[in-house]
Amino acid sequence: MPEYNVLSEPWIPVRMLTGEEKEVGILELLENAHRMQCVSDPSPLFEYGIYRLLTVFLMDAFRPEIQADIEDMLAAGAFDMERIFAYIRECEKEGPCFDLFDAKRPFLQSAYDEKWDKTIKPVALLLHNIPSGNNHIHFLHGYEGRQTFCPSVCVKALCTVNVFCTAGLQGPSSVNGAPPIYVMIRGENLFEGLLLNCIPSTMTQLKYGYPVWRYGTEVEPGKRMSEISLLEGMTLMARRCHLIPDENGGVCTYSGERSPVVVSKMHFQKGLNFEGYDSWRDPHVAYSISDKGRSSIKPQLGKEMWRNIGSIFGDDQKSPDVVRQYVDLLGARMPMIPVVTYGLMTNQAQYESWSRDEVSLDMDIVKNSSRMWIIGICIEHTENVARELRRSLRTISHKAGEDIVEQSLGQFFARSRQEFFSELCRNVARVDIKDNDAVNGVIEQWNKALKNYAMEEFDACADRLGLDGKDLMGRMKAQISLLKGLAKLLGKEEKK
């Protein structure tokens, strides 16, 4: 049986502070994280999956109890490698658990069991960006039966498959249900970034627990779970997987590189079925609160992440735990909160698109509920104006179809985003929050910009359509309707 130790083998793509890009194992990464800028993978899903694995590894190795423990580790400037090596020895008391192909405890997999592992499937099912089953051919071109992966790609896929899986023919969904928007704090280097995305045990109402590699959680296909600890939940095995290595080697169809060991087949089926969504809170996820309860924010096709800023940077119930912790630890000396968001858009069991976005918000806004109220109102107005613009565009573009409508809306949101970060956020951070007239003036200035962008995009779309005759009359009616609709939508919003 071949060996592939994820601690030492180079499989994690990183960017050094010097700009150099290289691949490293977990140990080299942790030892030199303060000299690295970030994990950097072309796939946003791989990138977040690796970050999630590393944060869970660190949370289990150091087991911080309070935020001051995180603060003390930040002050050290580098990871305590003696503590890391002691942790690894503890994990491996019962034998290797960081070897991808170990017979008893293969990393992030289940050991082969003839009782359950009867069906062999293509390894392509591990990836959300290679067409398989119900998925369209729109990420990487190729067919599932022809895929062969090298071990480094397999590890990255294993970090990802259970985080972004949906309920369907292959099994239950992830611990968060359909994949949510995942939010990560961006540090000044990788060392800071990893620590700032770990939370101490006192920040969660869940038991801290242990990750799946620690004691080898048995994955019984379809087993229902109503309770789970934090670290087990962050590594929940919603799919039961066992890779079948081929020591004849070959070319990895994902990376294009030759490898002495490749994987084209695996045992793969439904895994653990977590049903306790009401009790689960993910430290990297933002939530919405309604009469129906709390639910994680899901990415939507065509919706950029900045339009979810109200939830990402909202109150303690909405914003991710890592964002609240950043405010607690660094709110007094950092001017901005920088985050990276990751999302996988799904439609039932199909994967439609992925996204990675970077946004930052002024700390003075985040720390003040009245300023966040202004941000929330302005984003709400943006969505309302977009809906009114879409309605008007559809009345004049019936011959051209929906694509031209979405193009115009995309331009509207692009211009709104630029205005949001260049003007609105600056105005909200500076306004005298006790001066109602000044606050309303900020909102009215934003409304005016939205109205101008909407009318200009309407006219640009109509011009592209080349309307004349009775179509020109329809344009005039739709334009008047849009103006009336905007006037109704953008009335004064009194400060609370």
Side-chain angles (χ1 to χ4, degrees):
M1 184 69 71
E3 294 183 1
Y4 191 89
N5 191 319
V6 300
L7 297 175
S8 56
E9 294 285 352
W11 63 277
I12 304 174
V14 297
R15 183 179 301 124
M16 306 299 291
L17 292 176
T18 60
E20 176 191 2
E21 296 193 354
K22 58 189 296 189
E23 290 191 342
V24 297
I26 292 176
L27 286 176
E28 184 179 351
L29 183 148
L30 296 178
E31 186 173 7
N32 297 283
H34 55 292
R35 300 185 180 97
M36 298 172 177
Q37 182 180 346
C38 60
V39 172
S40 179
D41 195 280
S43 164
L45 308 187
F46 278 1
E47 187 171 293
Y48 176 71
I50 293 169
Y51 271 127
R52 190 174 179 93
L53 170 75
L54 293 171
T55 55
V56 173
F57 185 100
L58 291 169
M59 288 163 70
D60 193 32
F62 291 95
R63 301 192 74 81
E65 296 181 358
I66 56 177
Q67 287 184 346
D69 295 335
I70 302 288
E71 196 168 22
D72 289 344
M73 286 190 285
L74 284 169
F79 290 118
D80 180 351
M81 293 307 294
E82 289 187 10
R83 183 77 174 266
I84 295 291
F85 284 117
Y87 169 69
I88 293 169
R89 288 193 295 271
E90 179 67 25
C91 290
E92 295 190 326
K93 276 186 176 180
E94 303 299 323
C97 63
F98 295 105
D99 181 359
L100 191 64
F101 301 121
D102 186 73
K104 295 181 178 179
R105 299 168 69 190
F107 186 64
L108 294 184
Q109 304 160 71
S110 299
Y112 174 75
D113 189 325
E114 62 179 7
K115 177 173 61 177
W116 289 322
D117 301 318
K118 301 179 184 297
T119 304
I120 294 177
K121 295 188 177 181
V123 74
L125 291 174
L126 279 182
L127 267 62
H128 302 91
N129 57 335
I130 285 182
S132 59
N134 293 332
N135 293 318
H136 301 297
I137 303 176
H138 62 272
F139 292 145
L140 290 179
H141 295 283
Y143 294 91
E144 60 181 42
R146 302 175 186 172
Q147 303 302 321
T148 299
F149 299 155
C150 60
S152 64
V153 172
C154 289
V155 187
K156 290 188 277 190
L158 289 168
C159 291
T160 303
V161 64
N162 291 299
V163 178
F164 290 98
C165 61
T166 62
L169 296 177
Q170 302 299 335
S173 62
S174 75
V175 71
N176 290 299
I181 297 171
Y182 290 104
V183 180
M184 299 285 289
I185 297 292
R186 182 160 41 89
E188 293 187 3
N189 55 44
L190 183 54
F191 165 74
E192 287 190 5
L194 290 174
L195 276 181
L196 290 170
N197 288 291
C198 298
I199 66 164
S201 58
T202 52
M203 276 200 77
T204 178
Q205 295 182 354
L206 301 166
K207 294 180 180 178
Y208 214 54
Y210 301 96
V212 294
W213 61 78
R214 187 72 176 267
Y215 296 116
T217 303
E218 184 177 54
V219 181
E220 179 182 340
K223 180 181 178 181
R224 296 184 175 183
M225 303 177 65
S226 58
E227 296 182 356
I228 200 167
S229 69
L230 178 64
L231 298 187
E232 184 181 3
M234 291 183 74
T235 54
L236 177 72
M237 308 286 272
R239 298 291 181 270
R240 180 182 172 87
C241 174
H242 174 253
L243 300 177
I244 303 174
D246 180 357
E247 295 186 71
N248 291 320
V251 175
C252 175
T253 53
Y254 187 94
S255 68
E257 298 180 358
R258 178 166 290 280
S259 172
V261 178
V262 293
V263 178
S264 61
K265 300 176 181 179
M266 62 179 177
H267 298 104
F268 189 77
Q269 60 179 304
K270 61 185 177 181
L272 301 175
N273 185 5
F274 179 67
E275 298 177 331
Y277 297 120
D278 291 341
S279 64
W280 171 255
R281 182 181 175 93
D282 197 295
H284 297 164
V285 171
Y287 293 88
S288 63
I289 310 296
S290 68
D291 295 339
K292 296 180 180 179
R294 176 172 55 86
S295 58
S296 57
I297 303 293
K298 310 296 184 185
Q300 298 177 33
L301 194 63
K303 183 174 182 178
E304 289 185 303
M305 294 303 173
W306 72 272
R307 292 157 60 189
N308 291 297
I309 271 183
S311 294
I312 293 174
F313 297 102
D315 58 32
D316 290 354
Q317 294 300 312
K318 294 179 180 179
S319 63
D321 293 340
V322 293
V323 171
R324 293 189 291 119
Q325 176 174 259
Y326 189 89
V327 175
D328 293 341
L329 293 178
L330 302 175
R333 62 179 188 269
M334 297 300 289
M336 307 288 287
I337 304 183
V339 302
V340 184
T341 63
Y342 302 88
L344 176 65
M345 278 62 82
T346 62
N347 181 9
Q348 296 179 346
Q350 295 184 0
Y351 302 111
E352 295 190 324
S353 181
W354 59 25
S355 69
R356 180 190 184 277
D357 200 1
E358 295 187 19
V359 295
S360 297
L361 196 59
D362 194 297
M363 186 69 77
D364 289 337
I365 296 177
V366 178
K367 291 167 63 176
N368 188 293
S369 60
S370 295
R371 298 185 196 279
M372 282 303 302
W373 175 82
I374 301 173
I375 292 293
I377 286 295
C378 290
I379 290 178
E380 181 182 338
H381 287 186
T382 307
E383 300 296 336
N384 290 339
V385 169
R387 280 192 289 271
E388 190 68 21
L389 176 59
R390 176 182 277 110
R391 182 190 63 79
S392 297
L393 289 174
R394 282 174 172 167
T395 64
I396 64 170
S397 64
H398 54 278
K399 294 181 180 179
E402 191 70 13
D403 286 349
I404 195 167
V405 173
E406 294 305 318
Q407 290 172 11
S408 297
L409 285 168
Q411 288 296 316
F412 167 78
F413 280 121
R415 297 177 70 185
S416 298
R417 175 180 176 137
Q418 183 176 2
E419 180 83 12
F420 182 91
F421 288 108
S422 65
E423 296 294 331
L424 177 65
C425 288
R426 181 176 59 183
N427 293 339
V428 172
R430 293 176 177 178
V431 71
D432 181 355
I433 209 68
K434 297 179 180 179
D435 186 339
N436 286 359
D437 290 338
V439 169
N440 291 329
V442 170
I443 297 174
E444 287 171 15
Q445 182 178 338
W446 176 251
N447 289 347
K448 182 178 179 180
L450 292 179
K451 178 183 175 181
N452 289 340
Y453 296 156
M455 296 309 301
E456 288 169 6
E457 290 308 323
F458 176 89
D459 289 338
C461 180
D463 290 344
R464 287 197 297 273
L465 290 170
L467 303 178
D468 55 19
K470 65 177 182 179
D471 288 332
L472 187 59
M473 183 65 67
R475 168 180 174 168
M476 292 176 61
K477 289 181 179 179
Q479 187 178 49
I480 293 172
S481 176
L482 177 58
L483 282 168
K484 289 181 178 179
L486 294 179
K488 183 178 180 181
L489 285 173
L490 301 178
K492 288 187 178 181
E493 187 78 39
E494 295 300 326
K495 179 194 167 207
K496 296 181 179 178

